[in-house]
Amino acid sequence: MTKPVSPMGFETRAVRDGTMRSEFGEHSEALYLTSSFVFDDAEEAARRFQNLEPGMVYSRFTNPSVQMFEQRLASLEEAQDCVATASGMSAILSVCLGLLKSGDEIVTTGSLFGATIQLFDNFMTKFGVGVKYVDLSRPEEWEAAISPATRLFYLETPSNPLTQVADLQAIGTIARKAGVITVVDNCFCTPAIQQPLRFPIDLVLHSATKYLDGQGRVLGGAVAGPKSLVDQIRAVVRTCGPCLSAFNAWVLHRSMETLALRMRAHSESALALAAWLEQHPSVARVFYPGLASHPQHALAMRQQSSGGAIVSFELKADNEGQAQERAFRLVNAVSLFSRTGNLGDTRSIITHPASTTHGR
Ligand SMILES: Cc1ncc(COP(=O)(O)O)c(C=O)c1O
């Protein structure tokens, strides 16, 4: 269920929504660095702990800085509710712990961030959760993979790093018909470019570490969607503890003020770079949804307002060994781009995913 869209535009909501002011009336959001909160009396403490009245209790599950970040992101994703987590991976783990039990099955795709695949294959299977892999771009494979045990469809679009695009309308419709919950990692686009909850998608997930921060400073994560589902994930964060720190939430809340501007600038630069790479004699293939040559360009442009900031490409080579050797030579030769694995920064970066972010 999506929240009724605010009459304010995206960029206004990005600077206004979520802000809570203290009795001092500060214009810029205060930072609430405190692990716990005090109560007027024992009765109030008991009511707050039992969720019988709203109010702050303990920063593992209630903190004003964290709530400001959650509410701003919920507004931008047009979600009813949002829960923040310590990182993107802890958001994915919390979804699994909150919504799955032994015997359930996840249907997902190999076109995923490497650590997400490791989480599913190495850890979820240990607790009796089955995982099936299908082609991200073929909705009919998602439909065929459904069994009575299927509880979750999990996907990224565009995918990291090859920017494969999922048809959110088609996959979401298949899932709704089968009573399966669909989770979309919206890390590559952010709500400034794509709002998955406008499609039949249940939950949207973020590594806030990436564009939501936008300057490579903090780790964070979040899951947004209907309150009934977010409550189940919030219960995991409360009890198991993968909570976002107040400081990181404060940084992220402020960062989102410039999200739309940054994503527009990122997309413009990425498109120019992708077009240049496509003409380069040493480049075999460029993967960028904003290019007309991307096999799913039309679909991407229906779902996204621009191509996003990630450009992937393959160098011409005769075999895998030569491809890796040429890729390493290129990574070592750049003078301006940073050699680092964290995308979403204001500074351009270069990485060889097969030996780094997707290598283990
Ligand atoms: C698409 C995607 N999802 C999730 C993650 C995990 O996020 P984090 O590093 O914040 O745990 C990443 C990290 O690079 C990512 O690229």
Side-chain angles (χ1 to χ4, degrees), residues 87-90 92 113 116 154 156 160 185 187-188 205 207-210 219-221 341-343:
S87 65
M89 290 316 301
S90 56
I92 304 168
F113 177 56
T116 310
Y154 188 93
E156 287 165 15
N160 181 356
D185 181 334
C187 178
F188 263 36
L205 184 144
S207 164
T209 317
K210 307 298 183 283
L219 273 89
N342 185 43
L343 60 94

Side-chain angles (χ1 to χ4, degrees), residues 3 7 102 110 124 128 157 163 217 237 241:
K3 196 172 160 167
S102 174
M124 294 322 296
T157 183
T163 71
R217 297 164 298 187
V237 175

Side-chain angles (χ1 to χ4, degrees), residues 2-331:
T2 56
K3 196 172 160 167
V5 182
S6 157
M8 293 192 291
F10 185 93
E11 291 177 48
T12 306
R13 282 181 280 137
V15 297
R16 295 280 180 190
D17 275 3
T19 298
M20 292 190 279
R21 236 164 235 146
S22 77
E23 73 269 27
F24 298 118
E26 67 279 355
H27 191 204
S28 205
E29 296 80 1
L31 165 56
Y32 291 90
L33 280 183
T34 177
S35 38
S36 68
F37 298 82
V38 292
F39 310 107
D40 285 343
D41 48 40
E43 287 77 9
E44 185 181 70
R47 287 194 303 274
R48 294 258 179 103
F49 265 88
Q50 290 161 41
N51 267 343
L52 296 176
E53 73 172 37
M56 302 298 151
V57 180
Y58 185 66
S59 286
R60 181 167 13 89
F61 51 98
T62 47
N63 177 282
S65 297
V66 176
Q67 286 185 0
M68 285 191 243
F69 163 69
E70 290 172 340
Q71 290 312 308
R72 181 163 291 175
L73 184 57
S75 167
L76 299 184
E77 286 289 8
E78 297 172 12
Q80 205 182 24
D81 203 359
C82 174
V83 58
T85 57
S87 65
M89 290 316 301
S90 56
I92 304 168
L93 176 64
S94 301
V95 164
C96 292
L97 293 180
L99 303 181
L100 300 173
K101 59 180 185 333
S102 174
D104 286 346
E105 239 170 44
I106 306 171
V107 176
T108 188
T109 162
S111 300
L112 273 189
F113 177 56
T116 310
I117 294 181
Q118 303 297 328
L119 168 62
F120 292 159
D121 284 354
N122 297 347
F123 295 96
M124 294 322 296
T125 51
K126 258 189 5 186
F127 297 97
V129 172
V131 188
K132 277 187 188 159
Y133 289 95
V134 297
D135 186 329
L136 178 66
S137 60
R138 295 170 64 86
E140 63 277 18
E141 287 197 18
W142 292 79
E143 185 157 36
I146 294 174
S147 79
T150 309
R151 171 97 172 120
L152 213 67
F153 276 4
Y154 188 93
L155 55 111
E156 287 165 15
T157 183
S159 65
N160 181 356
L162 292 181
T163 71
Q164 220 185 337
V165 177
D167 185 332
L168 293 176
Q169 184 66 40
I171 294 176
T173 302
I174 290 164
R176 286 268 160 98
K177 218 171 79 193
V180 170
I181 297 167
T182 306
V183 184
V184 171
D185 181 334
N186 199 24
C187 178
F188 263 36
C189 279
T190 81
I193 291 182
Q194 168 176 270
Q195 285 144 319
L197 299 183
R198 290 185 177 180
F199 298 87
I201 299 299
D202 299 297
L203 289 168
V204 56
L205 184 144
H206 280 281
S207 164
T209 317
K210 307 298 183 283
Y211 299 104
L212 299 188
D213 173 12
Q215 294 178 53
R217 297 164 298 187
V218 300
L219 273 89
V223 188
K227 188 172 177 327
S228 56
L229 290 176
V230 170
D231 274 350
Q232 295 175 58
I233 300 157
R234 198 184 293 287
V236 174
V237 175
R238 174 175 180 153
T239 305
C240 307
C243 52
L244 184 64
S245 79
F247 180 79
N248 289 6
W250 178 79
V251 169
L252 293 165
H253 182 69
R254 301 309 312 268
S255 305
M256 283 192 289
E257 293 186 354
T258 56
L259 184 63
L261 283 169
R262 284 187 282 111
M263 295 315 290
R264 265 202 301 277
H266 277 314
S267 287
E268 272 174 35
S269 305
L271 180 59
L273 180 64
W276 177 78
L277 281 168
E278 210 172 26
Q279 306 304 318
H280 199 286
S282 304
V283 172
R285 283 171 75 191
V286 180
F287 306 87
Y288 182 66
L291 282 179
S293 58
H294 189 287
Q296 296 164 295
H297 175 67
L299 171 64
M301 293 303 102
R302 280 204 301 279
Q303 298 180 169
Q304 305 173 207
S305 58
S306 64
I310 304 295
V311 179
S312 300
F313 57 101
E314 279 173 9
L315 295 176
K316 284 184 184 155
D318 294 331
N319 52 57
E320 269 188 34
Q322 193 182 57
Q324 169 148 338
E325 187 254 313
R326 288 185 177 173
F328 276 29
R329 202 160 6 121
L330 173 66
V331 169

